[in-house]
Amino acid sequence: MIFKNLSYFKAVFFASLKADLEYRANFFMRVLIDVFWYLSQILTFEIIFNYSPNIGQWALPQMRFFLGVLFVIDALYTLLFHDNIDRISENIRKGELDFILTKPASSQFLISLQRVSTAVISNLLLSLAWLIWASLQLQTLTVTRMLILLITIPFSLLLIYSLRFLIATLSLIFIRAENVQYLWYQIYRLGMRPDQIYPSWLRRILFTILPVGLVASLPTQIILGFVSDWYLLLVIGLSYLFFKASQWFWAYALKHYSSASS
Amino acid sequence: MIVTKNLTRTYQSYTKAEGLSASIKGLWKRNTIEKSALLPTNLVINQGESIGLVGANGAGKTTLIKILSGLIYPTQGEVTVLGFTPHQRNPEFLRQIGVILGQKNQLWWDLSPNDSFALLEKIYNIPTVTRKARVDELAHWLNCEKLLTTQIRRLSLGERMKMEIIGALIHRPKILFLDEPTIGLDVLAQNKIRSFLELYIKNENPTLILTSHYMADISHLSKRLLLMSQGQIKYDGPIDKFIQSFDEKKHFYASFTEPVKYEIDLGFIKIPYEAVEISAEINAHQVTQAISTLLAHTQIKEIKIEERNFEDVMRQFFESQI
C-alpha cells in the first residue's frame, strides 16, 4: 500500500511539475509572493526586537529559529496540501469528487494529493536555509535536539493537515463552506506567533481544541529546552488523534454527499 | 450481477415563504421537506446486459446510477453490484467499474492525455506496458492516436470526450456507467462516439448502464430499456416491444393532384375544402378505411405511411407523464 501510494505520489509530482511549468509567469509569481510573505514575517519580529531585547522567554536568535521551524512546516504544507484542500469545496460543488470516489484508492488520499505545488519547492529550500542559519546562530543546539526537530516536523505537518482537512470536510455537509475556510486562516495565524504572547486561556485552547500552538510554537520550545521533552508526546499524540478524527469525519460526511446534478 | 431490493433515495430540502422577513426567519427555523428521488425499486441486471436508462429531468435515473456506482448512499433498501455493496466503496469493486460523466472531466487540463493516463495507471496498479498497449488499442478504435500527446485544453469537446472514454476504460471495467456520454457534442462527434461504444460492447461485452437524452444513443447501444418517471421504473423490457406496446400509431401523409372539392371526414382527421395535402397520426386499424375513402373522393398524388420512431414514442410517453 505504502509503495503504491509513493509510486502515485511520484507520478503526481512529475505531472504537477509539467503542468506548473506551462505557466512560467504564474510559477515565478508564486515564488515571489511567498518570499515577500516570509520577509514580512521576519521583519515584523526584527523590528519588535529593535525596541526590546526579549519577548517573554524569547530572544532574537530563538525567535529566528522559531520562524525557521514555522517556515519549513508551512512550506511543506503548501507544497503538498494547501491548494488541494482549498479546492475541496469546488470539487464537491462541481461534482468532480465523483471521479475520486469511483477510484480504487483512499478518497481522502486522492483528494488531498490531487496536485503538488511544485513552485513552492524553491520556498522550501529558502526556508530550510533560514532554519539552518538560525540553528547555527543559536550555538546551543545539540545533535539530540536536532533529532527532536526531525521528529516533530512530520507530526506538526500531519497536525496542520488534519485540522485543515477537518474544516474542509464541512463542505460535504454544507456545500458552501467557504466562510469556514476564512475561520481557519484566522486560527492558523494564531499559530504563527509564539504562544507565550497570548493570555493563558487562549494558550490552553491553542494546545487542545484548536492545537495550532502545536504546529511550530511548542515544538520550538521543546527543542530550545523551554519546556520538558515530554511535551513531544503531546505533539505526536494529538497529531495522531486529529488525523484519525479527519479520517472518521471524512467517512461520516461522505454519507451526506449527494453529488452535483448532471 | 446487479440486484436491488426496495431501493429508495430521498433528498432533504427546505421551503420558505417569499420575502426578506421569511429569509430572516429561515436563519433559525426552516421547514424541512423530503423529496423522493427514487421510490422502492427492484431490479436485476445480468452480466453483459446493455441497459438504456431513460427519463425526463428529475425522473431518478442519475440517482439510480449514482447509487449503483457507489457515489451516494441509498436511504433504504438493499443493493449489490458484483457481490459488493457499492457505497462501501471496496477497492475491489471500484477496480471493476468505469464511469463516464458527460461534461465532467477527470483528465488534467494542462497535461496531455498520455500524462493523465500514466496517473490512472498508478491508481489502478496496471503495469506501464499493459497501460500503453490498452491506450493504443482504444485510441486506434476511436481513431485518435495523434491526439494522445496534445494537451487536453487544446482539444475540441468531441476529442476530449474520446480521451475521457479511454481514461474510463483503461482498466477494462466489467460494468460501465455512462451518464450522458454524448451531451453537448455535434452530430458528427455523437455518431463517432456511438459507433465506438457499439464496437466496444461487441468486443468486450461489459455490462452497460447508459443514460442519454439522445434516443439514438439508447436505441443503438442498449437492448433493454428502463423507463423512469417520478422516481419509478415505468417500463422494463426490450425497446422494440415498448414501441409496439405503448402505441400502434403511425404517421400518415397524403397529397392530392388537385384541391379537394368538399370537406371529407376520415375519422381521425377532417380534410378541409381545397386542401392539397394532409399529415396526421393514425391508428394502424384505420389505415385501410382511410385509403379507400381518399380513393373514392380525391385524386391522390402520393400516400406515405411511416412507422413512428423511438424518439416520437418517447416524446409522447414523457408528455403523457406530465
Side-chain angles (χ1 to χ4, degrees):
Chain A
M1 177 64 107
I2 290 170
F3 180 75
K4 188 189 156 192
N5 286 350
L6 277 176
S7 164
Y8 172 75
F9 176 73
K10 194 176 141 197
V12 169
F13 180 84
F14 285 110
S16 305
L17 190 60
K18 272 186 203 172
D20 285 344
L21 289 173
E22 278 291 310
Y23 303 100
R24 281 177 301 178
N26 193 47
F27 189 92
F28 291 118
M29 273 307 286
R30 174 107 199 223
V31 176
L32 218 72
I33 288 166
D34 283 355
V35 167
F36 276 117
W37 182 78
Y38 291 141
L39 281 176
S40 74
Q41 296 298 312
I42 292 168
L43 281 174
T44 304
F45 285 108
E46 294 287 332
I47 291 167
I48 291 171
F49 276 98
N50 248 344
Y51 296 96
S52 166
N54 290 300
I55 300 176
Q57 279 177 291
W58 304 74
L60 182 60
Q62 288 147 347
M63 191 62 77
R64 285 172 177 159
F65 178 73
F66 163 75
L67 285 176
V69 175
L70 176 70
F71 291 165
V72 169
I73 293 165
D74 185 72
L76 282 170
Y77 172 73
T78 313
L79 177 78
L80 300 172
F81 304 119
H82 179 271
D83 288 0
N84 296 318
I85 299 181
D86 261 17
R87 222 178 359 227
I88 288 179
S89 177
E90 196 185 329
N91 289 149
I92 293 166
R93 219 175 34 247
K94 290 186 174 174
E96 292 161 353
L97 181 58
D98 291 358
F99 288 117
I100 288 171
L101 293 179
T102 49
K103 295 286 181 292
S106 155
S107 53
Q108 182 172 351
F109 175 77
L110 290 181
I111 204 163
S112 302
L113 284 169
Q114 296 173 69
R115 289 184 81 135
V116 177
S117 302
T118 54
V120 179
I121 292 174
S122 51
N123 302 13
L124 179 62
L125 294 175
L126 283 173
S127 304
L128 279 168
W130 175 270
L131 179 62
I132 292 166
W133 176 77
S135 305
L136 293 173
Q137 296 295 305
L138 279 173
Q139 292 176 338
T140 51
L141 279 190
T142 59
V143 178
T144 326
R145 300 281 105 189
M146 288 309 279
L147 214 67
I148 293 175
L149 177 67
L150 288 178
I151 296 169
T152 52
I153 285 178
F155 282 100
S156 295
L157 181 65
L158 184 68
L159 182 66
I160 183 175
Y161 160 77
S162 306
L163 284 168
R164 180 71 188 91
F165 193 80
L166 269 166
I167 290 170
T169 303
L170 286 171
S171 306
L172 269 173
I173 298 170
F174 300 118
I175 309 296
R176 295 200 71 129
E178 288 95 339
N179 291 328
V180 186
Q181 299 194 10
Y182 293 114
L183 176 70
W184 156 253
Y185 292 126
Q186 299 310 318
I187 296 166
Y188 184 43
R189 273 169 64 172
L190 292 173
M192 290 181 178
R193 303 279 179 267
D195 62 272
Q196 287 168 331
I197 66 169
Y198 302 123
S200 59
W201 62 269
L202 184 57
R203 286 175 67 194
R204 260 181 240 130
I205 292 173
L206 298 182
F207 280 179
T208 51
I209 310 163
L210 297 167
V212 285
L214 269 59
V215 171
S217 186
L218 188 62
T220 309
Q221 290 179 67
I222 298 167
I223 296 155
L224 293 176
F226 288 180
V227 293
S228 155
D229 287 356
W230 288 106
Y231 274 96
L232 189 61
L233 292 177
L234 184 68
V235 177
I236 294 171
L238 269 184
S239 302
Y240 180 75
L241 268 179
F242 271 85
F243 177 61
K244 281 287 162 196
S246 77
Q247 286 182 313
W248 173 83
F249 189 47
W250 177 250
Y252 168 79
L254 278 178
K255 291 179 185 169
H256 292 266
Y257 181 56
S258 57
S259 171
S261 244
S262 59
Chain B
M1 153 130 309
I2 296 177
V3 181
T4 73
K5 282 183 195 161
N6 296 321
L7 193 67
T8 60
R9 170 75 196 201
T10 52
Y11 291 104
Q12 279 192 341
S13 59
Y14 306 101
T15 55
K16 71 168 184 67
E18 208 178 305
L20 181 63
S21 62
S23 296
I24 292 166
K25 273 183 196 163
L27 284 174
W28 63 87
K29 193 183 175 188
R30 290 181 170 186
N31 296 322
T32 309
I33 53 160
E34 286 200 340
K35 191 189 170 231
S36 294
L38 195 65
L39 293 167
T41 300
N42 296 298
L43 200 60
V44 177
I45 298 171
N46 296 313
Q47 163 78 39
E49 275 198 282
S50 303
I51 308 290
L53 198 52
V54 179
N57 292 330
K61 52 191 193 307
T62 303
T63 300
L64 182 59
I65 277 207
K66 282 175 182 170
I67 293 175
L68 296 181
S69 57
L71 283 173
I72 58 172
Y73 280 63
T75 308
Q76 276 183 329
E78 290 171 30
V79 53
T80 56
V81 179
L82 295 163
F84 296 93
T85 305
H87 49 268
Q88 288 176 351
R89 296 196 192 93
N90 186 310
E92 267 317 300
F93 163 69
L94 297 172
R95 212 180 295 282
Q96 298 179 63
I97 66 164
V99 180
I100 296 172
L101 307 167
Q103 290 190 327
K104 288 181 193 168
N105 308 315
Q106 69 162 331
L107 304 180
W108 285 33
W109 194 242
D110 296 316
L111 293 184
S112 70
N114 267 344
D115 287 327
S116 284
F117 298 149
L119 286 174
L120 291 172
E121 163 199 315
K122 303 293 176 197
I123 294 175
Y124 286 105
N125 218 2
I126 307 168
T128 306
V129 183
T130 315
R131 184 262 301 175
K132 283 184 175 167
R134 176 68 168 163
V135 169
D136 288 346
E137 180 189 24
L138 294 168
H140 176 68
W141 288 357
L142 279 161
N143 195 20
C144 62
E145 295 99 321
K146 287 177 185 165
L147 304 175
L148 292 171
T149 50
T150 309
Q151 286 161 314
I152 292 283
R153 66 186 156 93
R154 295 184 198 279
L155 300 179
S156 70
L157 187 62
E159 290 167 342
R160 281 209 298 275
M161 183 44 81
K162 286 182 179 178
M163 298 306 152
E164 291 289 335
I165 287 173
I166 294 177
L169 302 178
I170 209 164
H171 57 295
R172 296 182 188 275
K174 284 186 184 164
I175 301 182
L176 195 52
F177 295 98
L178 302 175
D179 193 10
E180 303 283 357
T182 55
I183 196 163
L185 303 183
D186 62 45
V187 180
L188 202 66
Q190 277 181 32
N191 283 335
K192 281 182 184 168
I193 301 285
R194 207 175 287 143
S195 305
F196 163 77
L197 289 171
E198 271 185 287
L199 183 70
Y200 179 79
I201 292 166
K202 198 174 140 195
N203 286 351
E204 307 214 350
N205 195 33
T207 304
L208 180 89
I209 317 268
L210 164 75
T211 76
S212 178
H213 281 110
Y214 301 113
M215 291 309 129
D217 286 349
I218 302 288
S219 58
H220 278 83
L221 301 174
S222 50
K223 294 191 176 70
R224 180 173 159 194
L225 178 68
L226 280 182
L227 198 55
M228 295 194 73
S229 178
Q230 294 166 351
Q232 276 182 308
I233 295 175
K234 298 281 184 178
Y235 175 85
D236 178 1
I239 292 179
D240 301 345
K241 210 172 153 190
F242 172 74
I243 297 172
Q244 286 163 15
S245 67
F246 187 73
D247 205 319
E248 289 190 319
K249 284 195 171 174
K250 296 175 191 302
H251 188 74
F252 186 89
Y253 170 84
S255 62
F256 315 112
T257 50
E258 54 187 62
V260 297
K261 297 188 173 78
Y262 42 86
E263 190 183 91
I264 303 164
D265 189 356
L266 290 179
F268 63 96
I269 188 173
K270 278 184 182 168
I271 307 173
Y273 169 62
E274 287 198 327
V276 290
E277 62 176 5
I278 56 159
S279 174
E281 300 291 309
I282 184 171
N283 285 323
H285 69 271
Q286 293 174 303
V287 173
T288 321
Q289 180 62 43
I291 293 173
S292 61
T293 309
L294 286 177
L295 282 170
H297 298 279
T298 64
Q299 299 291 318
I300 296 170
K301 185 178 166 190
E302 185 185 13
I303 286 183
K304 273 195 262 182
I305 300 159
E306 290 171 346
E307 295 288 337
R308 293 184 333 147
N309 63 26
F310 183 45
E311 189 121 19
D312 291 336
V313 176
M314 291 309 303
R315 194 185 313 120
Q316 194 184 336
F317 173 81
F318 292 143
E319 281 166 3
S320 72
Q321 295 293 310
I322 295 169

